[in-house]
Amino acid sequence: ATQIAKKLDAEGKYNATIKTYVYAVGGLLEWASTECINHKAEIPEPYIPFNILKGVGLSDYGKTKRSFEALKVDQLHKLFELEMANNDRLIFTLLITTGMRLDEVALLRWEQFKEDGNGIKYVDLAMNPVKNDRFSSRLVAIPDIVKLPSYGKGRLFDFKLDSDGKSSTPASQYLNESYVHKVRNGPKDDRKVVHSLRHNLSGLMKNLRPTPHSEHTDWITGHDMEGTKTESERKKTYNEDVDLTIKYDIVNRIEHPWLKPLV
């Protein structure tokens, strides 16, 4: 466990990520050392005598995760006033208007864009091959203010894929260095990144009147419950993915005076 933690630390992983990886193995060992005998009567004793990872300390490994901050209104205006390629402007536009994560946008394929019987355009993230859990696998409503270019084939964006099939790291580095860093107020303003646009959208939804139900906004952004530990606890709080028309109504009520049309 220590060797794995050191390796992940050297790769620049966050402490929370390292704990997730190592404690997942610890959970299996805990089952093998105690709980397995409760599930199969034919097993007279545990597979292993004890969980060797129990109590292992990992606080010294990995980066401490810092929370990001939403961009100020003037920074949003400055961001969208920057000269940028159409594809880059489309990424920022989708991030600020739909609630998708950067990796969800960076991996988008044209076949994920659809339209329902009411004429509502949406993205089907159930077709996302990378992150497909209960809260990420959802339909994302596209508000009317977003004018999409002519539909093509394959991926919308050409960010390099990493070994996990994700694009968030190269996309984040490029968008931050090319644009977001230019609208920050000096080095002390380093909690403003491309991910901040999700915080902006969350704040814009909370400011709507009447205020949308938190369960609806969580399904828009694909957020799991903060602090919820078990699937049974989640099921008590969340129903199935809310109706697309509800999500469309919410995101379509938000004004975006900083947006500029694609040219």
Side-chain angles (χ1 to χ4, degrees):
T2 301
Q3 290 174 335
I4 292 173
K6 287 181 178 178
K7 182 177 184 300
L8 295 175
D9 190 357
E11 293 177 359
K13 301 293 186 183
Y14 285 99
N15 177 259
T17 300
I18 294 174
K19 287 181 177 179
T20 297
Y21 289 173
V22 174
Y23 290 160
V25 179
L28 173 62
L29 298 183
E30 183 68 18
W31 177 86
S33 64
T34 56
E35 297 183 16
C36 67
I37 58 176
N38 298 324
H39 295 283
K40 291 189 176 182
E42 67 271 18
I43 300 177
E45 58 185 20
Y47 287 114
I48 57 177
F50 58 90
N51 175 7
I52 196 172
L53 295 187
K54 195 167 188 177
V56 63
L58 300 173
S59 59
D60 293 335
Y61 301 100
K63 298 184 296 184
T64 301
K65 194 166 186 176
R66 300 181 65 201
S67 59
F68 299 121
E69 293 181 352
L71 297 180
K72 301 293 185 183
V73 171
D74 66 308
Q75 292 175 323
L76 282 173
H77 281 282
K78 289 178 181 178
L79 175 64
F80 284 94
E81 287 170 0
L82 292 174
E83 184 176 344
M84 63 179 75
N86 265 355
N87 267 12
D88 297 344
R89 189 172 298 278
L90 179 58
I91 292 177
F92 284 119
T93 299
L94 291 172
L95 288 172
I96 192 67
T97 60
T98 66
M100 284 188 284
R101 298 175 176 86
L102 176 58
D103 200 51
E104 292 170 336
V105 175
L107 293 175
L108 282 177
R109 303 182 65 85
W110 279 112
E111 54 264 33
Q112 292 178 263
F113 286 83
K114 302 178 181 180
E115 186 173 325
D116 76 349
N118 297 314
I120 297 176
K121 292 182 174 62
Y122 67 95
V123 174
D124 185 357
L125 288 183
M127 300 173 65
N128 189 331
V130 175
K131 189 165 186 176
N132 199 26
D133 61 33
R134 183 168 176 239
F135 298 95
S136 297
S137 178
R138 65 197 190 281
L139 303 183
V140 177
I142 301 176
D144 296 341
I145 197 171
V146 178
K147 306 301 180 185
L148 295 170
S150 300
Y151 283 23
K153 294 182 179 180
R155 292 179 62 196
L156 274 71
F157 312 106
D158 58 0
F159 294 108
K160 183 179 179 181
L161 301 178
D162 60 23
S163 58
D164 294 327
K166 297 183 178 182
S167 289
S168 56
T169 299
S172 176
Q173 183 176 356
Y174 168 72
L175 295 172
N176 280 324
E177 293 179 357
S178 300
Y179 304 109
V180 180
H181 291 179
K182 294 179 179 179
V183 302
R184 299 193 306 197
N185 299 319
K188 292 184 178 180
D189 203 21
D190 61 351
R191 293 167 70 183
K192 309 285 180 61
V193 295
V194 66
H195 182 80
S196 297
L197 297 187
R198 274 169 61 81
H199 292 266
N200 281 107
L201 180 64
S202 295
L204 291 168
M205 289 191 292
K206 290 178 181 177
N207 289 334
L208 288 174
R209 295 294 180 271
T211 304
H213 193 287
S214 61
E215 180 181 337
H216 297 165
T217 58
D218 283 343
W219 273 110
I220 288 173
T221 57
H223 270 143
D224 197 345
M225 285 176 54
E226 292 294 334
T228 297
K229 301 299 183 183
T230 67
E231 181 64 17
S232 61
E233 289 175 321
R234 294 186 181 99
K235 288 180 178 178
K236 291 178 182 178
T237 303
Y238 286 90
N239 298 314
E240 294 181 359
D241 190 0
V242 296
D243 191 86
L244 181 66
T245 56
I246 295 176
K247 293 186 282 189
Y248 168 76
D249 175 70
I250 294 173
V251 297
N252 208 43
R253 287 163 53 199
I254 299 174
E255 296 182 357
H256 295 277
W258 37 78
L259 286 187
K260 288 192 172 186
L262 301 175
V263 295

